[in-house]
């Protein structure tokens, strides 16, 4: 019974591991895939336009070629020799040298390979396959990191825009309050302290709005640096933002 429990536990663990396998085509949609939401479109753009993507893909291609070359490398250790029985060939062709019989075969072709070639070949091929696997996993790791960077910077940009809207409204409210106090101050209905307080509140709100504007612009540049195009262009050709 205990052995049966162990077998069932192993089968369950194996099934769980299979279920948790990452589909990297969902992490970064392939270029030929039409994505349905704006965030995935940004990730797709970033991957396709990233110089590092091209570097990693080339490294994978090199590793794949190295596996093929290693499979064929043993042929370089093949040593061939060719021996020709000239006397027998002359006898056969021209009929001369009657006293010399014809020996067959007239030529010998031999090929030799060092035993060490076959002994080490399997390990060398396995090593190249491991290198290929490492390069492929580097690609997958870059997909995970790039998706995180793109989505993180995009969310920061959305937050920066919302904060800009809030501070813009706050500045307008402060400005309206200041204008009212200023007019009352001119009419002698407000004290200088009240006027100063309203003025400081307005300029403080204006300063905060300018800081928010700068942050929104910088956050936009960070997203565009990753995706390789302007956000305006991405919004024009990609899925509707927010879907």
């Amino acid at each position: 019974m205990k052995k049966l429990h162990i077998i069932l536990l192993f089968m369950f663990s194996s099934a769980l591991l299979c279920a948790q396998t990452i589909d990297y085509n969902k992490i970064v949609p392939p270029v030929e895939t039409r994505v349905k939401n704006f965030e995935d479109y940004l990730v797709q753009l970033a991957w396709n336009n990233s110089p590092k993507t091209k570097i990693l893909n080339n490294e994978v291609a090199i590793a794949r070629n190295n596996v093929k070359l290693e499979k064929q490398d043993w042929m370089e250790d093949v040593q061939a020799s060719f021996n020709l029985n000239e006397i027998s060939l002359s006898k056969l062709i021209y009929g001369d040298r009657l006293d010399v019989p014809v020996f067959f075969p007239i030529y010998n072709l031999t090929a030799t390979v060092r035993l060490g070639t076959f002994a080490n070949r399997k390990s060398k091929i396995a090593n190249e396959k491991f290198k290929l696997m490492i390069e492929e996993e580097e690609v997958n790791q870059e997909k995970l990191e790039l998706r995180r960077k793109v989505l993180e910077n995009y969310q920061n940009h959305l937050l920066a825009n919302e904060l800009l809207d809030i501070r813009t409204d706050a500045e307008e409210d402060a400005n309206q309050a200041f204008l009212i106090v200023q007019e009352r101050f001119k009419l002698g209905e407000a004290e200088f302290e009240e006027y100063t307080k309203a003025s400081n509140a307005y300029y403080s709100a204006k300063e905060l709005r300018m800081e928010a504007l700068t942050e929104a612009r910088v956050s936009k540049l960070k997203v565009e640096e990753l995706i390789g195009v302007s956000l305006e262009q991405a919004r024009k050709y990609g899925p509707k933002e927010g879907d």
Side-chain angles (χ1 to χ4, degrees), residues 15 20 32 47 50 80 121 155-156 175:
Q20 293 178 340
E32 65 275 6
W47 181 256
S50 171
R121 180 167 172 259
Q155 291 302 317
N156 288 339
N175 184 39

Side-chain angles (χ1 to χ4, degrees), residues 224-242:
E224 292 176 342
E225 179 183 12
L226 288 169
I227 65 177
V229 298
S230 67
L231 267 173
E232 289 79 10
Q233 186 175 355
R235 291 178 176 123
K236 180 178 180 181
Y237 295 104
K240 186 178 179 181
E241 199 169 7

Side-chain angles (χ1 to χ4, degrees), residues 45 49 72 82-83 86-87 111 166-167 190 197 234:
L45 282 175
N49 293 330
Q72 301 171 358
F82 180 79
N83 295 319
E86 297 180 3
I87 297 177
I166 292 172
R167 290 185 174 177
K197 185 177 181 180

